[in-house]
Amino acid sequence: MKSHTREISVALAILALAIILAFAAPGYFSRENLTDLFLANVPVLIVALGMTLVILIGQIDISVGSIFAICGVTAGLLSKTGLPAPAAGLGACFAGAALGALNGTLVAYLRIPSIVVTLASMVALRDALRWQTQGSWVQDLPRDFQWFGLSQSAYPLAVAGIAVILATGLAWILRHLAVGRAIYATGSNREGARLAGIHTTLVTFSVFAAIGAFTGLAAVLNSVRFNQIPTNAGLGLEMKVIAAVVVGGAAITGGKGSVLGTVLGVVLLGAIGPALTFLGVSVYWERAVQGAIILAALVIDAVRMRHGSSLATSHA
Protein backbone atom coordinates (compact mmCIF):
# COMPACT_ATOMS: atom_id res chain seq x y z
CA MET A 1 0.00 0.00 0.00
CA LYS A 2 2.82 2.38 0.92
CA SER A 3 4.33 2.20 -2.56
CA HIS A 4 1.06 3.38 -4.07
CA THR A 5 0.41 6.23 -1.62
CA ARG A 6 0.88 8.96 -4.23
CA GLU A 7 -1.39 7.30 -6.78
CA ILE A 8 -4.10 6.91 -4.15
CA SER A 9 -3.73 10.55 -3.09
CA VAL A 10 -4.04 11.84 -6.66
CA ALA A 11 -7.00 9.54 -7.33
CA LEU A 12 -8.75 10.89 -4.22
CA ALA A 13 -8.06 14.45 -5.38
CA ILE A 14 -9.63 13.65 -8.76
CA LEU A 15 -12.64 12.11 -7.00
CA ALA A 16 -13.04 15.15 -4.74
CA LEU A 17 -12.90 17.48 -7.76
CA ALA A 18 -15.49 15.34 -9.55
CA ILE A 19 -17.85 15.47 -6.57
CA ILE A 20 -17.56 19.25 -6.33
CA LEU A 21 -18.25 19.62 -10.05
CA ALA A 22 -21.18 17.18 -9.90
CA PHE A 23 -22.96 19.47 -7.45
CA ALA A 24 -21.70 22.91 -8.51
CA ALA A 25 -21.32 22.51 -12.30
CA PRO A 26 -22.96 19.33 -13.63
CA GLY A 27 -22.57 20.66 -17.19
CA TYR A 28 -18.88 19.78 -16.88
CA PHE A 29 -19.81 16.14 -17.42
CA SER A 30 -21.59 16.68 -20.71
CA ARG A 31 -20.50 14.31 -23.43
CA GLU A 32 -19.19 17.13 -25.61
CA ASN A 33 -17.05 18.63 -22.85
CA LEU A 34 -15.61 15.29 -21.74
CA THR A 35 -14.79 14.39 -25.35
CA ASP A 36 -13.04 17.73 -25.90
CA LEU A 37 -11.11 17.30 -22.64
CA PHE A 38 -10.07 13.79 -23.61
CA LEU A 39 -8.88 14.73 -27.10
CA ALA A 40 -7.00 17.77 -25.79
CA ASN A 41 -5.18 15.77 -23.12
CA VAL A 42 -4.36 12.56 -24.98
CA PRO A 43 -1.29 14.17 -26.65
CA VAL A 44 -0.17 15.39 -23.21
CA LEU A 45 -0.61 11.87 -21.83
CA ILE A 46 1.41 10.25 -24.61
CA VAL A 47 4.32 12.67 -24.21
CA ALA A 48 4.06 12.26 -20.43
CA LEU A 49 4.48 8.49 -20.83
CA GLY A 50 7.77 9.15 -22.61
CA MET A 51 8.74 11.73 -19.98
CA THR A 52 8.12 9.11 -17.30
CA LEU A 53 10.92 7.03 -18.81
CA VAL A 54 13.24 10.03 -18.97
CA ILE A 55 12.63 11.01 -15.35
CA LEU A 56 12.92 7.39 -14.20
CA ILE A 57 16.55 7.37 -15.41
CA GLY A 58 17.20 10.65 -13.58
CA GLN A 59 17.20 12.89 -16.68
CA ILE A 60 14.92 15.63 -18.04
CA ASP A 61 13.78 16.69 -21.52
CA ILE A 62 12.44 20.19 -22.03
CA SER A 63 12.67 20.08 -25.82
CA VAL A 64 9.45 18.07 -26.30
CA GLY A 65 7.39 21.16 -27.16
CA SER A 66 9.66 22.06 -30.06
CA ILE A 67 9.83 18.45 -31.25
CA PHE A 68 6.04 18.30 -31.04
CA ALA A 69 5.74 21.31 -33.37
CA ILE A 70 8.24 19.89 -35.88
CA CYS A 71 6.55 16.49 -35.94
CA GLY A 72 3.11 18.01 -36.47
CA VAL A 73 4.36 20.06 -39.40
CA THR A 74 6.21 17.01 -40.77
CA ALA A 75 3.04 14.93 -40.69
CA GLY A 76 1.11 17.62 -42.54
CA LEU A 77 3.75 18.14 -45.21
CA LEU A 78 4.15 14.40 -45.81
CA SER A 79 0.40 14.04 -46.14
CA LYS A 80 0.34 16.82 -48.73
CA THR A 81 2.79 14.84 -50.87
CA GLY A 82 0.12 12.18 -51.31
CA LEU A 83 1.14 9.76 -48.58
CA PRO A 84 -1.76 8.11 -46.70
CA ALA A 85 -2.37 9.61 -43.27
CA PRO A 86 -0.98 6.57 -41.37
CA ALA A 87 2.24 6.68 -43.41
CA ALA A 88 2.56 10.42 -42.83
CA GLY A 89 2.04 9.81 -39.13
CA LEU A 90 4.70 7.11 -39.11
CA GLY A 91 7.10 9.52 -40.80
CA ALA A 92 6.44 12.08 -38.07
CA CYS A 93 7.17 9.44 -35.41
CA PHE A 94 10.48 8.64 -37.11
CA ALA A 95 11.32 12.35 -37.18
CA GLY A 96 10.58 12.61 -33.47
CA ALA A 97 12.67 9.52 -32.72
CA ALA A 98 15.59 10.97 -34.72
CA LEU A 99 15.46 14.27 -32.83
CA GLY A 100 15.19 12.40 -29.54
CA ALA A 101 18.13 10.22 -30.55
CA LEU A 102 20.17 13.35 -31.20
CA ASN A 103 19.46 14.52 -27.65
CA GLY A 104 20.23 11.02 -26.40
CA THR A 105 23.59 10.93 -28.17
CA LEU A 106 24.69 14.19 -26.58
CA VAL A 107 23.49 13.16 -23.12
CA ALA A 108 24.49 9.49 -23.10
CA TYR A 109 27.72 9.44 -25.10
CA LEU A 110 29.10 12.96 -24.71
CA ARG A 111 27.91 13.20 -21.08
CA ILE A 112 26.46 16.68 -21.47
CA PRO A 113 23.80 17.38 -18.79
CA SER A 114 20.33 16.73 -20.17
CA ILE A 115 18.98 20.08 -18.98
CA VAL A 116 21.65 21.85 -21.06
CA VAL A 117 21.17 19.64 -24.14
CA THR A 118 17.39 19.85 -24.21
CA LEU A 119 17.31 23.56 -23.41
CA ALA A 120 19.55 24.18 -26.42
CA SER A 121 17.41 21.83 -28.52
CA MET A 122 14.22 23.54 -27.44
CA VAL A 123 15.45 26.93 -28.63
CA ALA A 124 17.34 25.76 -31.73
CA LEU A 125 14.55 23.52 -33.06
CA ARG A 126 11.83 26.10 -32.47
CA ASP A 127 13.84 28.83 -34.20
CA ALA A 128 14.80 26.50 -37.07
CA LEU A 129 11.15 25.63 -37.66
CA ARG A 130 10.17 29.29 -37.56
CA TRP A 131 12.90 30.15 -40.06
CA GLN A 132 12.07 27.27 -42.39
CA THR A 133 8.33 27.96 -42.47
CA GLN A 134 8.48 31.71 -41.97
CA GLY A 135 5.77 31.17 -39.40
CA SER A 136 3.28 29.95 -42.01
CA TRP A 137 0.85 27.24 -40.94
CA VAL A 138 0.43 24.03 -42.94
CA GLN A 139 -2.88 24.41 -44.80
CA ASP A 140 -4.89 22.70 -47.55
CA LEU A 141 -4.45 19.31 -45.95
CA PRO A 142 -5.88 16.26 -47.76
CA ARG A 143 -9.36 15.20 -46.76
CA ASP A 144 -8.23 11.82 -45.43
CA PHE A 145 -5.72 13.44 -43.07
CA GLN A 146 -8.31 14.92 -40.74
CA TRP A 147 -9.48 12.39 -38.14
CA PHE A 148 -7.31 9.81 -40.00
CA GLY A 149 -10.19 9.41 -42.41
CA LEU A 150 -12.50 8.25 -39.61
CA SER A 151 -15.77 9.84 -38.63
CA GLN A 152 -15.64 12.48 -35.89
CA SER A 153 -17.49 10.12 -33.55
CA ALA A 154 -15.27 7.10 -34.26
CA TYR A 155 -11.97 8.94 -33.91
CA PRO A 156 -12.11 9.36 -30.08
CA LEU A 157 -12.66 5.61 -29.74
CA ALA A 158 -9.63 4.88 -31.89
CA VAL A 159 -7.51 7.33 -29.91
CA ALA A 160 -8.71 5.82 -26.64
CA GLY A 161 -7.59 2.42 -27.89
CA ILE A 162 -4.14 3.78 -28.78
CA ALA A 163 -3.76 5.46 -25.39
CA VAL A 164 -4.83 2.36 -23.47
CA ILE A 165 -2.47 0.11 -25.45
CA LEU A 166 0.47 2.48 -24.93
CA ALA A 167 -0.14 2.98 -21.22
CA THR A 168 -0.82 -0.66 -20.35
CA GLY A 169 1.99 -1.88 -22.61
CA LEU A 170 4.51 0.50 -21.07
CA ALA A 171 3.37 -0.38 -17.54
CA TRP A 172 3.79 -4.08 -18.32
CA ILE A 173 7.25 -3.54 -19.80
CA LEU A 174 8.43 -1.57 -16.77
CA ARG A 175 7.07 -4.17 -14.38
CA HIS A 176 7.90 -7.46 -16.09
CA LEU A 177 10.73 -7.07 -18.62
CA ALA A 178 14.47 -6.75 -18.10
CA VAL A 179 14.50 -3.43 -19.96
CA GLY A 180 12.08 -2.01 -17.39
CA ARG A 181 14.28 -3.14 -14.52
CA ALA A 182 17.28 -1.63 -16.32
CA ILE A 183 15.50 1.74 -16.53
CA TYR A 184 14.68 1.77 -12.81
CA ALA A 185 18.18 0.59 -11.91
CA THR A 186 19.82 3.26 -14.06
CA GLY A 187 17.84 5.99 -12.32
CA SER A 188 18.29 4.57 -8.81
CA ASN A 189 22.06 4.06 -8.96
CA ARG A 190 23.74 4.53 -12.30
CA GLU A 191 27.15 3.29 -11.20
CA GLY A 192 25.68 0.32 -9.39
CA ALA A 193 23.61 -0.55 -12.45
CA ARG A 194 26.72 -0.35 -14.65
CA LEU A 195 28.65 -2.63 -12.32
CA ALA A 196 25.71 -5.06 -12.43
CA GLY A 197 26.15 -5.36 -16.19
CA ILE A 198 23.50 -2.89 -17.37
CA HIS A 199 24.51 -0.81 -20.38
CA THR A 200 23.41 2.49 -18.81
CA THR A 201 24.64 4.53 -21.76
CA LEU A 202 22.45 2.57 -24.17
CA VAL A 203 19.51 2.80 -21.77
CA THR A 204 19.84 6.59 -21.66
CA PHE A 205 20.15 6.89 -25.44
CA SER A 206 17.16 4.60 -26.03
CA VAL A 207 14.94 6.45 -23.58
CA PHE A 208 15.55 9.79 -25.31
CA ALA A 209 14.84 8.22 -28.69
CA ALA A 210 11.64 6.75 -27.23
CA ILE A 211 10.33 10.05 -25.90
CA GLY A 212 10.99 11.55 -29.34
CA ALA A 213 8.87 8.84 -30.97
CA PHE A 214 6.13 9.28 -28.35
CA THR A 215 6.16 13.03 -28.99
CA GLY A 216 5.85 12.43 -32.73
CA LEU A 217 2.79 10.23 -32.21
CA ALA A 218 1.25 12.81 -29.89
CA ALA A 219 1.81 15.53 -32.48
CA VAL A 220 0.10 13.46 -35.16
CA LEU A 221 -2.93 12.72 -32.98
CA ASN A 222 -3.21 16.41 -32.21
CA SER A 223 -2.75 17.57 -35.81
CA VAL A 224 -5.44 15.39 -37.38
CA ARG A 225 -8.09 17.12 -35.27
CA PHE A 226 -7.78 20.32 -37.31
CA ASN A 227 -7.75 21.41 -40.95
CA GLN A 228 -4.47 23.30 -40.55
CA ILE A 229 -1.33 22.78 -38.49
CA PRO A 230 0.22 25.68 -36.56
CA THR A 231 3.99 26.01 -36.48
CA ASN A 232 3.88 27.28 -32.89
CA ALA A 233 2.22 24.16 -31.48
CA GLY A 234 3.55 22.64 -28.27
CA LEU A 235 4.34 25.87 -26.43
CA GLY A 236 4.45 25.05 -22.73
CA LEU A 237 3.99 21.33 -23.36
CA GLU A 238 7.19 20.43 -21.53
CA MET A 239 5.95 21.99 -18.29
CA LYS A 240 2.60 20.19 -18.54
CA VAL A 241 4.11 16.76 -18.96
CA ILE A 242 6.87 17.19 -16.38
CA ALA A 243 4.29 18.47 -13.89
CA ALA A 244 1.98 15.52 -14.54
CA VAL A 245 4.80 13.00 -14.06
CA VAL A 246 5.99 14.64 -10.83
CA VAL A 247 2.48 15.00 -9.41
CA GLY A 248 1.94 11.33 -10.25
CA GLY A 249 4.74 10.36 -7.89
CA ALA A 250 7.89 10.16 -9.99
CA ALA A 251 11.05 11.27 -8.21
CA ILE A 252 12.81 13.97 -10.21
CA THR A 253 16.11 12.37 -9.12
CA GLY A 254 15.16 9.11 -10.85
CA GLY A 255 14.43 5.52 -9.92
CA LYS A 256 10.85 6.03 -8.72
CA GLY A 257 7.60 6.48 -10.63
CA SER A 258 4.81 4.61 -12.38
CA VAL A 259 2.66 4.78 -15.49
CA LEU A 260 -0.50 4.77 -13.35
CA GLY A 261 0.76 7.78 -11.42
CA THR A 262 1.49 9.63 -14.67
CA VAL A 263 -1.99 8.89 -16.05
CA LEU A 264 -3.60 10.18 -12.85
CA GLY A 265 -1.37 13.25 -12.89
CA VAL A 266 -2.43 14.09 -16.46
CA VAL A 267 -6.10 13.62 -15.54
CA LEU A 268 -5.87 15.86 -12.47
CA LEU A 269 -3.89 18.69 -14.04
CA GLY A 270 -5.84 18.49 -17.31
CA ALA A 271 -9.15 18.78 -15.48
CA ILE A 272 -8.29 21.80 -13.38
CA GLY A 273 -8.42 24.55 -16.04
CA PRO A 274 -11.86 23.64 -17.46
CA ALA A 275 -13.14 22.97 -13.93
CA LEU A 276 -12.23 26.51 -12.86
CA THR A 277 -14.06 27.88 -15.90
CA PHE A 278 -17.21 25.90 -15.07
CA LEU A 279 -16.99 27.03 -11.44
CA GLY A 280 -16.79 30.66 -12.51
CA VAL A 281 -13.20 31.16 -11.38
CA SER A 282 -10.85 33.19 -13.55
CA VAL A 283 -8.78 31.02 -15.89
CA TYR A 284 -5.71 32.96 -14.72
CA TRP A 285 -5.83 30.92 -11.52
CA GLU A 286 -5.20 27.69 -13.43
CA ARG A 287 -1.42 27.87 -13.35
CA ALA A 288 -1.44 29.06 -9.75
CA VAL A 289 -3.48 26.03 -8.69
CA GLN A 290 -1.34 23.68 -10.78
CA GLY A 291 1.81 25.22 -9.30
CA ALA A 292 0.46 24.74 -5.77
CA ILE A 293 -0.27 21.07 -6.50
CA ILE A 294 3.21 20.52 -7.93
CA LEU A 295 4.85 22.30 -4.98
CA ALA A 296 2.82 20.23 -2.53
CA ALA A 297 3.91 17.02 -4.29
CA LEU A 298 7.58 18.04 -4.15
CA VAL A 299 7.32 19.03 -0.47
CA ILE A 300 5.69 15.70 0.38
CA ASP A 301 8.47 13.85 -1.45
CA ALA A 302 11.15 15.86 0.36
CA VAL A 303 9.56 15.21 3.76
CA ARG A 304 9.24 11.49 3.05
CA MET A 305 12.84 11.30 1.85
CA ARG A 306 14.10 13.07 4.96
CA HIS A 307 11.91 10.90 7.18
CA GLY A 308 13.22 7.78 5.44
CA SER A 309 16.81 8.94 5.89
CA SER A 310 16.18 9.67 9.57
CA LEU A 311 14.74 6.19 10.11
CA ALA A 312 17.69 4.58 8.34
CA THR A 313 20.13 6.56 10.51
CA SER A 314 18.33 5.68 13.73
CA HIS A 315 18.27 1.96 12.85
CA ALA A 316 21.95 2.07 11.99
Side-chain angles (χ1 to χ4, degrees), residues 3-39:
S3 62
H4 298 290
T5 301
R6 175 61 64 78
E7 289 93 332
I8 294 172
S9 299
V10 178
L12 290 175
I14 295 170
L15 179 61
L17 179 61
I19 292 172
I20 293 171
L21 289 168
F23 285 98
Y28 182 91
F29 296 100
S30 68
R31 180 177 178 180
E32 293 78 9
N33 185 58
L34 291 180
T35 299
D36 288 343
L37 274 175
F38 171 73
L39 292 178

Side-chain angles (χ1 to χ4, degrees), residues 10-308:
V10 178
L12 290 175
I14 295 170
L15 179 61
L17 179 61
I19 292 172
I20 293 171
L21 289 168
F23 285 98
Y28 182 91
F29 296 100
S30 68
R31 180 177 178 180
E32 293 78 9
N33 185 58
L34 291 180
T35 299
D36 288 343
L37 274 175
F38 171 73
L39 292 178
N41 284 286
V42 162
V44 178
L45 171 61
I46 292 174
V47 180
L49 293 175
M51 189 65 73
T52 301
L53 299 177
V54 172
I55 291 179
L56 280 176
I57 63 169
Q59 304 290 349
I60 200 74
D61 188 345
I62 59 173
S63 67
V64 290
S66 299
I67 294 175
F68 184 90
I70 289 175
C71 290
V73 169
T74 299
L77 293 177
L78 288 174
S79 181
K80 290 183 67 173
T81 66
L83 281 177
L90 188 61
C93 291
F94 276 119
L99 293 173
L102 175 60
N103 285 338
T105 299
L106 297 174
V107 174
Y109 294 101
L110 298 186
R111 305 295 177 88
I112 304 174
S114 57
I115 185 67
V116 175
V117 169
T118 58
L119 176 61
S121 295
M122 178 183 71
V123 176
L125 294 176
R126 181 73 67 178
D127 285 347
L129 179 62
R130 187 180 297 115
W131 174 81
Q132 181 66 31
T133 63
Q134 295 297 304
S136 300
W137 292 17
V138 181
Q139 299 178 333
D140 302 320
L141 293 164
R143 185 184 299 273
D144 70 337
F145 183 78
Q146 191 169 26
W147 309 113
F148 271 132
L150 302 172
S151 67
Q152 194 166 345
S153 58
Y155 178 74
L157 298 176
V159 172
I162 293 172
V164 168
I165 290 172
L166 282 177
T168 55
L170 184 60
W172 187 83
I173 288 171
L174 289 175
R175 180 179 292 271
H176 297 289
L177 295 189
V179 64
R181 293 189 290 273
I183 289 171
Y184 277 107
T186 299
S188 297
N189 186 333
R190 181 175 296 271
E191 184 60 20
R194 187 186 66 80
L195 293 175
I198 295 174
H199 197 329
T200 56
T201 300
L202 181 59
V203 169
T204 301
F205 171 81
S206 300
V207 163
F208 275 95
I211 191 176
F214 276 55
T215 303
L217 175 60
V220 173
L221 295 180
N222 183 70
S223 298
V224 298
R225 296 171 55 209
F226 310 103
N227 56 15
Q228 53 186 350
I229 302 173
T231 53
N232 61 348
L235 291 173
L237 177 64
E238 58 283 340
M239 292 299 103
K240 290 181 181 179
V241 298
I242 292 171
V245 175
V246 171
V247 167
I252 201 70
T253 52
K256 177 187 174 186
S258 70
V259 170
L260 176 59
T262 294
V263 172
L264 292 173
V266 171
V267 171
L268 178 60
L269 296 181
I272 287 174
L276 293 177
T277 300
F278 273 84
L279 293 172
V281 180
S282 172
V283 71
Y284 294 108
W285 281 98
E286 177 182 358
R287 291 197 174 185
V289 173
Q290 289 180 342
I293 293 173
I294 297 165
L295 182 60
L298 292 174
V299 169
I300 291 171
D301 282 344
V303 170
R304 284 178 178 166
M305 187 176 296
R306 178 169 295 183
H307 181 64

